[in-house]
Amino acid sequence: MEHRRQVSKAEIEQARKLDLLSYLQQYEPQELVKVASGVYSTRSHDSLKISHGKWYRWSTGVGGVSALDYLIKVRDMHFVDAVLHLCDCLRFMQPIQGNTSKAPKRSPFILPKPNRNNDSVIEYLMRRGIGAPLLRFCVNTGRLYEDERHNCCFVGFDPQGAPRYAMLRSSNPSSTFLREVEGSDKRYSFGLPPQERSHRLFLFESAIDCLSFAELQRMASNDWKPDNYLSLSGVYQPKKELSETPLPIALVQFLQDNPHINHITLCLDHDDAGLRAAMAISALLPKRYTTELLPPEVGKDYNEQLMETKNITAQIRTRGAKSALHHFKEERQR
């Protein structure tokens, strides 16, 4: 495309209004590949992921919002060519009706009403080995509270400090109730505040495992300084074909928001599902990240290791079959 003439400020502003997902849906639907709910890639650049109005190309570490940035940074188009192309699309080309469907509207996110105190939640989590100082910190920063139904409410925040995610877990030791609050944004799963001094991220399946690991670290050092900790709020299940498997969206968002991270320690469950997930994440991460697998030494997860370390024998019902710690204790008693 020729670019003999200059483009006006109005044309540039018009071109910048078109986000990448809308551009591909309307004018190049054959290029768009849906990889997960609300997450897309492109056929020509499979390391490029589009979600929640933004795009990021993992192979080169560049990203943005607009289709204009995409055409310049990924397609290597001249700035003027890219502006004129998008203006032509908006002026002359009718949108192509592709097979991609619009993302469903997200339900409004409203945190459950808090109980008048957090006594049941504190008691429950201390029975699982998590110490009072760490729990007080989580309560004081709004990351944990007890709702009106006496559930543990684990809250995740965006970089601006706004709550965007919440997971509920019953504080009744005999209950296995567990669910996300409606409207939760999984990009902002539960974690402890990011630490810029540390370039390491510890990754977990659940909020309780995340806190359990931090508690184990605190117990092991009189001068404990927190690292970066993030939970995925559930089991990450990679597809059979690794090329068709997206990284966990919470991990993607955390790395985008915290570019100082360069090493990821995978502290997932010590079972087949956890191992498969850890191996998949390690293989899918860009080469600029180093990784290590650090499953618990005892039990299925880090909460079981914490309870074993503190010699806690409280009966806590969790989902699934008998845990690895259950079998470990049975074997030791023989």
Side-chain angles (χ1 to χ4, degrees):
M1 184 181 293
E2 294 291 335
H3 49 85
R4 300 294 183 187
R5 72 173 179 86
Q6 297 295 314
V7 289
S8 68
K9 183 177 180 181
E11 287 174 317
I12 296 172
E13 290 178 354
Q14 183 184 23
R16 287 198 183 279
K17 288 180 180 179
L18 190 57
D19 67 274
L20 179 55
L21 181 58
S22 297
Y23 168 76
L24 293 175
Q25 285 179 327
Q26 294 178 3
Y27 304 113
E28 297 185 31
Q30 73 284 353
E31 183 69 12
L32 198 60
V33 179
K34 187 174 183 179
V35 295
S37 177
V39 182
Y40 296 86
S41 183
T42 65
R43 296 192 187 280
S44 301
H45 306 282
D46 58 5
S47 74
L48 188 149
K49 298 296 184 290
I50 310 166
S51 65
H52 299 281
K54 298 180 181 180
W55 63 268
Y56 190 81
R57 190 181 182 191
W58 287 96
S59 61
T60 58
V62 299
V65 175
S66 69
L68 180 60
D69 286 339
Y70 164 78
L71 293 176
I72 295 169
K73 297 177 181 178
V74 178
R75 295 277 188 87
D76 295 322
M77 289 181 86
H78 187 278
F79 175 78
V80 174
D81 286 345
V83 171
L84 293 175
H85 171 70
L86 292 174
C87 288
D88 285 344
C89 287
L90 294 168
R91 187 179 302 116
F92 300 119
M93 296 172 61
Q94 291 296 320
I96 298 172
Q97 298 300 321
N99 293 325
T100 56
S101 57
K102 292 183 179 179
K105 290 184 178 180
R106 184 185 298 276
S107 300
F109 174 66
I110 302 174
L111 284 171
K113 291 182 179 180
N115 188 39
R116 58 186 178 86
N117 59 54
N118 299 298
D119 294 352
S120 295
V121 162
I122 298 299
E123 180 185 358
Y124 169 75
L125 292 173
M126 289 186 69
R127 288 183 68 181
R128 296 191 68 162
I130 303 169
L134 183 55
L135 293 176
R136 281 198 301 268
F137 172 80
C138 290
V139 169
N140 291 339
T141 57
R143 284 172 166 77
L144 171 68
Y145 70 92
E146 181 175 330
D147 73 3
E148 286 184 322
R149 298 185 177 182
H150 307 294
N151 295 306
C152 307
C153 187
F154 297 99
V155 184
F157 297 85
D158 66 17
Q160 288 70 48
R164 301 284 296 277
Y165 178 90
M167 174 68 78
L168 299 177
R169 206 293 180 199
S170 174
S171 63
N172 182 346
S174 64
S175 172
T176 60
F177 173 77
L178 182 74
R179 75 168 179 85
E180 290 180 340
V181 171
E182 189 174 4
S184 287
D185 189 339
K186 287 187 76 74
R187 292 179 300 166
Y188 303 104
S189 186
F190 176 88
L192 295 183
Q195 305 292 317
E196 290 191 6
R197 64 164 187 82
S198 172
H199 298 279
R200 180 170 54 178
L201 169 65
F202 291 93
L203 193 65
F204 306 88
E205 289 185 15
S206 74
I208 290 179
D209 287 339
C210 176
L211 294 177
S212 297
F213 184 88
E215 178 71 10
L216 285 164
Q217 282 191 318
R218 189 187 66 80
M219 292 169 58
S221 173
N222 293 326
D223 188 31
W224 173 67
K225 292 182 175 61
D227 272 291
N228 296 281
Y229 309 89
L230 176 68
S231 71
L232 297 178
S233 299
V235 180
Y236 170 67
Q237 297 179 323
K239 298 180 180 179
K240 290 183 179 180
E241 293 295 331
L242 198 60
S243 61
E244 300 177 359
T245 302
L247 281 164
I249 193 169
L251 175 59
V252 172
Q253 188 66 46
F254 189 91
L255 295 178
Q256 288 183 13
D257 293 337
N258 298 276
H260 63 284
I261 299 295
N262 59 27
H263 182 81
I264 299 168
T265 301
L266 299 155
C267 306
L268 308 185
D269 286 4
H270 197 178
D271 54 19
D272 289 342
L275 179 60
R276 285 196 302 270
M279 295 294 288
I281 292 171
S282 182
L284 289 167
L285 279 166
K287 293 182 180 179
R288 64 191 181 96
Y289 296 104
T290 56
T291 61
E292 65 176 313
L293 273 61
L294 191 66
E297 297 176 357
V298 175
K300 180 180 74 69
D301 56 42
Y302 272 100
N303 184 245
E304 290 191 351
Q305 178 166 324
L306 175 63
M307 293 178 69
E308 174 69 12
T309 302
K310 290 191 171 184
N311 198 28
I312 296 174
T313 58
Q315 297 297 313
I316 306 291
R317 284 193 65 192
T318 56
R319 295 188 174 191
K322 289 183 178 179
S323 67
L325 180 57
H326 175 92
H327 296 294
F328 170 81
K329 287 182 175 179
E330 276 190 346
E331 187 65 25
R332 191 173 63 178
Q333 291 171 355
R334 291 176 182 174

